[in-house]
Amino acid sequence: MIFERLCIIGVGLIGGSLSLALKQAGQVGEVVGYARTAETRQQALDLGIIDVAADTLAEAVRDADGIFIAVPMGAMESVLADIAPHISDKVVMTDGGSVKTPVVKAAYAELGDKVQRFVPGHPIAGTEKSGPNSAFATLYQQHQVILTLLTDTADDAVVTVRAMWEAVGAVVTEMDPTQHDAVLAATSHLPHVLAFNLVDVLAQHDDCQKVLRYAAGGFRDFSRIASSDPVMWRDICISNRDAMLALLTEYRAGLETISAAIASGDEDYLLSVFERAKAARDTRFTE
Ligand code: NAP
């Protein structure tokens, strides 16, 4: 068994699914859960995601040998600050936050010497749903988890966190936090912003209902991620500000050129962009 007493802080899709998966794999004894509201804590209890609901963070981490933090990015630093005085020297801590440089910075700022026990991580798995109700045990199977190790992270903590993810079927890789944030800005964070913006722009049209009624195929696929949790995505954009702004500038320049080509009827330019993109998509992306 990997953990005798695992504390999950944030018992929604990411935290809840990890708990269910570890329980199913028989790799955890007792799971203690904490969430911001009593309602969510009760929901997690009712769904069997956690065995015990703690009313405070201090109570949640007491005697835990493992801690998984899965709260929105905006709450990461305050959670680390609140648990720091109450954690043991032997605990293994990790998180599921989508942006890694701010988590690494917060860990150094708040954890003192215990930063050695912290292994920052990001499961590249999810859905557009949130809350305990959306959690399911197979979420991480065959999905990647990126660990962004600190220079001070203790080896045994890394071994334990790797084992935890592998026990739920994930494939673990390691990356530098800045590189992680740039890669994820491109593959996940920017696409979410584009989807939110497109749906928002279309929803303001007077004939929005009619437009959306005829939405099919591509629009349905592309817009699905616009039903993701707004708080989570607000936090991700602000947390990954630099990488997002660099990409948005590049993207805007591309759109301007496409817009000018459409205005001037520049068929060759449009064809060259679309052919280049199709070739890149067809040859370089593997599922
Ligand atoms: P979620 O389903 O909305 O769950 C978030 C949980 O955090 C809820 O239990 C919530 O409790 C709790 N929470 C919120 N603010 C808190 C605070 N200040 N203190 C303690 N608990 C708090 O979100 P999620 O999708 O699991 O995402 C969790 C983390 O994983 C985020 O950092 C996100 O960036 C990352 N992530 C998400 C995905 C994805 O696809 N969803 C994928 C990879 C990583 P209440 O309900 O009581 O507010």
Side-chain angles (χ1 to χ4, degrees):
M1 186 177 296
I2 296 172
F3 296 115
E4 296 291 335
R5 186 176 160 94
L6 175 66
C7 166
I8 305 254
I9 303 173
V11 290
L13 173 69
I14 295 300
S17 295
L18 181 67
S19 180
L20 290 175
L22 285 171
K23 277 169 175 269
Q24 198 172 79
Q27 292 292 353
V28 68
E30 186 176 55
V31 179
V32 184
Y34 178 80
R36 194 171 43 117
T37 61
E39 190 189 345
T40 298
R41 298 196 287 264
Q42 188 59 47
Q43 235 182 332
L45 268 178
D46 294 344
L47 289 163
I49 289 173
I50 57 175
D51 305 307
V52 179
D55 291 333
T56 64
L57 279 169
E59 192 189 316
V61 299
R62 189 174 308 134
D63 300 328
D65 54 348
I67 298 175
F68 181 60
I69 308 173
V71 298
M73 284 301 304
M76 286 283 179
E77 180 153 18
S78 68
V79 165
L80 286 167
D82 288 348
I83 64 172
H86 307 286
I87 53 183
S88 79
D89 294 338
K90 297 251 160 50
V91 75
V92 172
M93 289 175 278
T94 185
D95 75 304
S98 303
V99 189
K100 296 313 334 159
T101 44
V103 174
V104 168
K105 198 167 155 219
Y108 272 110
E110 306 298 342
L111 293 177
D113 287 350
K114 290 173 192 158
V115 79
Q116 295 165 21
R117 311 304 303 161
F118 186 65
V119 184
H122 178 203
I124 313 298
T127 71
E128 70 282 14
K129 307 275 191 335
S130 48
N133 267 320
S134 63
F136 58 102
T138 53
L139 175 64
Y140 300 114
Q141 279 176 18
Q142 309 296 326
H143 282 269
Q144 296 207 48
V145 172
I146 301 175
L147 303 181
T148 62
L149 306 184
L150 314 174
T151 40
D152 299 298
T153 313
D155 290 347
D156 70 289
V158 181
V159 169
T160 303
V161 171
R162 271 188 166 270
M164 175 189 88
W165 284 118
E166 284 165 5
V168 299
V171 180
V172 179
T173 54
E174 291 175 17
M175 220 185 252
D176 164 80
T178 309
Q179 188 193 6
H180 166 279
D181 292 353
V183 168
L184 269 293
T187 54
S188 170
H189 309 168
L190 179 68
H192 275 81
V193 169
L194 302 186
F196 278 123
N197 184 53
L198 177 63
V199 174
D200 184 49
V201 166
L202 296 184
Q204 285 169 39
H205 288 193
D206 290 341
D207 58 352
C208 157
Q209 286 307 335
K210 202 157 69 187
V211 171
L212 296 184
R213 193 173 326 131
Y214 294 109
F219 182 80
R220 207 168 270 279
D221 289 347
F222 182 68
S223 64
R224 177 183 59 79
I225 53 178
S227 72
S228 302
D229 184 57
V231 171
M232 181 176 119
W233 284 97
R234 173 202 65 188
D235 285 6
I236 288 173
C237 288
I238 303 290
S239 303
N240 206 7
R241 181 184 282 119
D242 293 349
M244 286 298 283
L245 287 179
L247 272 174
L248 279 168
T249 302
E250 216 180 304
Y251 189 80
R252 236 184 348 249
L255 267 192
E256 286 299 333
T257 323
I258 287 177
S259 182
I262 292 173
S264 65
D266 188 342
E267 295 179 357
D268 291 346
Y269 181 78
L270 292 176
L271 198 59
S272 71
V273 174
F274 298 164
E275 280 178 347
R276 232 176 20 239
K278 176 174 166 45
R281 178 70 176 83
D282 292 348
T283 57
R284 291 197 225 152
F285 289 74
T286 50
E287 292 300 333

